[in-house]
């Protein structure tokens, strides 16, 4: 399937049971802020720039016997994603780095070894309809450092980047799922909010009666 670009990313904070976690920072920006879910797009993060997903193929190990391949053992996938955006809001990016808000002195501090956990959904496009790579339970780690340099003839800008490491959701062992937002391609497709309700445990789609 052909993919065209990286339109946006949806990030939902979760607890250790892969359930949507209520964080004030995630209730301030974007389309799904009332649910406490952040959508990184042109309006909220000045655009997403990269979602490089590797390790989708499981490991294969050949077992030999009698001078030939007797069987093949299939291992687990070792998936890793690189997620980058131009300008994620300060409070959101700080929480995603595993920092905690300092209510007394301001800012966000690193005071323990906690890492941000949550669902990650990268949204691309295929000939006019969205394609979703949805990972229901992930650990986020920030880039290796911050490389600030003096501006010269052209400004030197540092953007946001994270490594996203998916793991199986504890409730049903789901590692990832790909959706296409087109009923002609997939008759079982309903809408984006129904997909989010399935991927993010605790997300509630809008009541159509209101």
């Amino acid at each position: 399937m052909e993919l065209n670009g990286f339109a946006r990313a949806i990030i939902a904070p979760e607890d250790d049971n892969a359930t949507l976690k209520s964080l004030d920072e995630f209730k301030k920006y974007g389309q799904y802020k009332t649910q406490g879910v952040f959508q990184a797009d042109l309006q909220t993060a000045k655009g997403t720039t990269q979602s490089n997903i590797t390790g989708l193929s499981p490991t294969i190990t050949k077992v030999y016997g009698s001078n030939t391949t007797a069987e093949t053992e299939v291992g687990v996938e070792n998936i890793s994603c690189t997620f980058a955006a131009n300008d994620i809001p300060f409070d959101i990016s700080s929480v995603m780095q595993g920092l905690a808000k300092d209510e007394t002195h301001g800012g966000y501090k690193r005071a323990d070894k906690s890492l941000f956990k949550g669902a990650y959904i990268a949204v691309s496009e295929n000939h006019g309809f969205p394609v979703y790579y949805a990972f229901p339970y992930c650990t986020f780690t920030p880039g290796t450092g911050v490389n600030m340099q003096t501006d010269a003839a052209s400004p030197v800008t540092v953007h946001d980047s994270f490594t996203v490491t998916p793991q199986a959701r504890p409730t049903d062992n789901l590692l990832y799922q790909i959706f296409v937002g087109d009923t002609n391609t997939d008759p079982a497709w309903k809408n984006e909010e129904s997909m989010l309700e399935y991927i993010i445990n605790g997300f509630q789609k809008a009541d159509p009666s209101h």
Side-chain angles (χ1 to χ4, degrees), residues 147-151 156 158:
N147 184 18
M148 289 182 277
Q149 302 177 55
T150 182
D151 285 345
V156 177
V158 179

Side-chain angles (χ1 to χ4, degrees), residues 10-169:
I10 298 169
I11 299 151
E14 294 177 334
D15 59 22
D16 291 338
N17 295 315
T19 299
L20 184 61
K21 186 177 181 180
S22 178
L23 296 178
D24 290 339
E25 291 85 352
F26 280 73
K27 298 177 181 178
K28 296 163 62 177
Y29 310 96
Q31 180 180 356
Y32 299 113
K33 63 184 179 182
T34 56
Q35 291 282 350
V37 173
F38 177 66
Q39 177 171 277
D41 54 27
L42 190 60
Q43 287 71 41
T44 62
K46 294 184 180 177
T48 50
T49 58
Q50 183 182 18
S51 186
N52 183 29
I53 305 170
T54 60
L56 291 174
S57 298
T59 56
I60 303 295
T61 303
K62 293 182 179 180
V63 178
Y64 294 89
S66 299
N67 302 322
T68 189
T69 302
E71 59 182 353
T72 301
E73 295 180 349
V74 180
V76 298
E77 297 90 341
N78 184 21
I79 303 174
S80 181
C81 311
T82 301
F83 163 60
N86 281 323
D87 188 13
I88 297 174
F90 166 70
D91 47 1
I92 293 282
S93 64
S94 297
V95 171
M96 289 177 63
Q97 291 175 53
L99 307 182
K101 188 174 184 179
D102 188 333
E103 300 285 358
T104 302
H105 303 96
Y108 286 77
K109 61 185 178 180
R110 181 68 170 169
D112 55 37
K113 297 181 179 180
S114 65
L115 293 174
F116 177 79
K117 293 182 179 179
Y120 173 68
I121 302 168
V123 188
S124 185
E125 187 177 283
N126 175 268
H127 301 293
F129 58 83
V131 178
Y132 305 85
Y133 277 75
F135 302 91
Y137 191 44
C138 308
T139 299
F140 291 71
T141 51
T144 55
V146 178
N147 184 18
M148 289 182 277
Q149 302 177 55
T150 182
D151 285 345
S154 299
V156 177
T157 306
V158 179
H159 299 294
D160 297 301
S161 65
F162 294 88
T163 296
V164 184
T165 306
Q167 60 191 82
R169 182 164 60 183

